[in-house]
C-alpha cells in the first residue's frame, strides 16, 4: 500500500463545474495535509493546508479532512481552464518534517 | 523579493560526470529540502536539512551528496554513482522543521544525461 494515494486521473470537467480531487493516507498519526498545484514544467505551488477535521475554504477551493477515514480532498468550485494542472496531495507523517507526496492527479478543465 | 532560486534551469551531464545544482533562499528559513520528480510521478525526498551544518538522508539518497554550510544555501551534487539521474530536481524550504510548516519550492532544475 502506498503511503499517500490519489485518485487516478486524468480528470476532465467542463468549465464551471466542481472538480473533486481525493487523497488517502496510510499513517493514522499524520498531522498536516497540503494541496499543491503544479503546472506542466513548473514547480509546485501551495494551494491550501489543513490540520483539523472538517472543511476549510479559500475562495473557490475547499479542503476537507476526515482523520478517522484517513481521507483528504480538494474541491474546486466554478472550475476554470486556468485550473488545468496536476494537483499533488502531501502528508506530513508523524515522524516529523518529511512530507510524503502522492503521484498527483491531472485535471483538465474544458472550455 | 524573497524567494528560492535554483540554478541552472537546465543542465546536461555526460556519463561519469559529477554535477552540482544550486539552491539559495533569502526567506530566513531554517529547513531546506531536495526532491526528485520523474515524469508522471510525485516528489521523492533526496536529502533534507533541519538546520545549518546538519542534514539527513531522505528516501533516495544513494548517488547524491549535499552540504549546508550557510543557512541560505543547500547545494546538491549528483555523482557518477547515480545511475539514472535524468529528472526534474526541486529545492524547497520551510521556516522550521516542524511538520505543520509549509514547504515552498524553487523553480527547479531539469537534469538530462547525454
Amino acid at each position: 500500500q502506498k503511503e499517500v494515494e490519489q485518485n487516478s486521473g486524468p480528470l476532465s470537467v467542463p468549465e464551471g463545474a466542481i472538480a473533486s480531487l481525493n487523497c488517502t493516507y496510510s499513517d493514522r498519526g499524520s498531522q498536516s495535509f497540503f494541496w499543491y498545484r503544479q503546472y506542466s514544467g513548473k514547480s509546485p505551488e501551495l494551494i491550501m493546508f489543513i490540520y483539523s477535521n472538517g472543511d476549510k475554504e479559500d475562495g473557490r477551493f475547499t479542503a476537507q479532512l476526515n482523520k478517522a477515514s484517513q481521507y483528504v480532498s480538494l474541491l474546486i468550485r466554478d472550475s476554470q481552464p486556468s485550473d488545468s494542472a496536476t494537483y499533488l496531495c502531501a502528508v506530513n507523517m508523524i515522524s516529523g518534517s518529511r512530507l510524503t507526496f502522492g503521484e498527483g492527479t491531472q485535471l483538465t478543465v474544458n472550455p | 523579493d524573497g524567494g528560492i532560486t535554483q540554478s541552472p534551469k537546465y543542465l546536461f551531464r555526460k556519463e561519469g560526470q559529477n554535477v552540482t545544482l544550486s539552491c539559495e533562499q533569502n526567506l530566513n528559513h531554517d529547513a531546506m529540502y531536495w526532491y526528485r520528480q520523474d515524469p508522471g510521478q510525485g516528489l521523492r525526498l533526496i536529502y533534507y536539512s533541519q538546520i545549518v551544518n546538519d542534514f539527513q538522508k531522505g528516501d533516495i539518497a544513494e548517488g547524491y551528496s549535499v552540504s549546508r554550510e550557510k543557512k541560505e544555501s543547500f547545494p546538491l551534487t549528483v555523482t557518477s554513482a547515480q545511475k539514472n539521474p535524468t529528472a526534474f530536481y526541486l529545492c524547497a524550504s520551510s521556516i522550521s522543521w516542524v511538520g505543520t510548516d509549509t514547504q515552498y519550492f524553487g523553480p527547479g532544475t531539469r537534469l538530462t544525461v547525454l
Side-chain angles (χ1 to χ4, degrees), chain A:
Chain A
Q1 182 188 6
K2 294 180 181 177
E3 292 180 291
V4 178
E5 288 200 65
Q6 297 187 237
N7 51 329
S8 59
L11 178 65
S12 182
V13 300
E15 185 173 355
I18 296 176
S20 178
L21 304 161
N22 303 315
C23 176
T24 58
Y25 58 94
S26 61
D27 186 346
R28 184 169 291 278
S30 298
Q31 298 292 319
S32 48
F33 308 85
F34 302 83
W35 282 101
Y36 287 86
R37 177 176 62 197
Q38 187 176 25
Y39 291 113
S40 181
K42 303 296 185 182
S43 63
E45 55 181 333
L46 180 73
I47 299 176
M48 292 186 71
F49 58 84
I50 186 167
Y51 306 143
S52 303
N53 275 330
D55 294 358
K56 179 181 180 183
E57 188 174 316
D58 184 1
R60 296 186 296 111
F61 299 95
T62 299
Q64 299 175 319
L65 175 61
N66 184 327
K67 288 187 177 181
S69 300
Q70 295 175 238
Y71 174 94
V72 58
S73 66
L74 179 70
L75 301 178
I76 306 174
R77 291 183 302 280
D78 188 24
S79 295
Q80 301 297 309
S82 58
D83 294 326
S84 298
T86 296
Y87 289 80
L88 299 169
C89 171
V91 177
N92 197 291
M93 302 297 182
I94 196 171
S95 58
S97 61
R98 300 166 59 122
L99 269 185
T100 299
F101 285 81
E103 293 187 353
T105 299
Q106 184 179 343
L107 172 67
T108 300
V109 180
N110 301 303

Side-chain angles (χ1 to χ4, degrees), chain B residues 2 8 14-15 25 32 47-48 53 71 73 91 103 109 112:
Chain B
K14 295 181 180 179
E15 293 281 351
Q25 54 96 3
M32 297 186 74
Y47 268 97
Y48 63 102
N53 291 322
K71 185 175 184 177
S73 179
C91 177
Q103 292 186 21
T109 292
T112 302

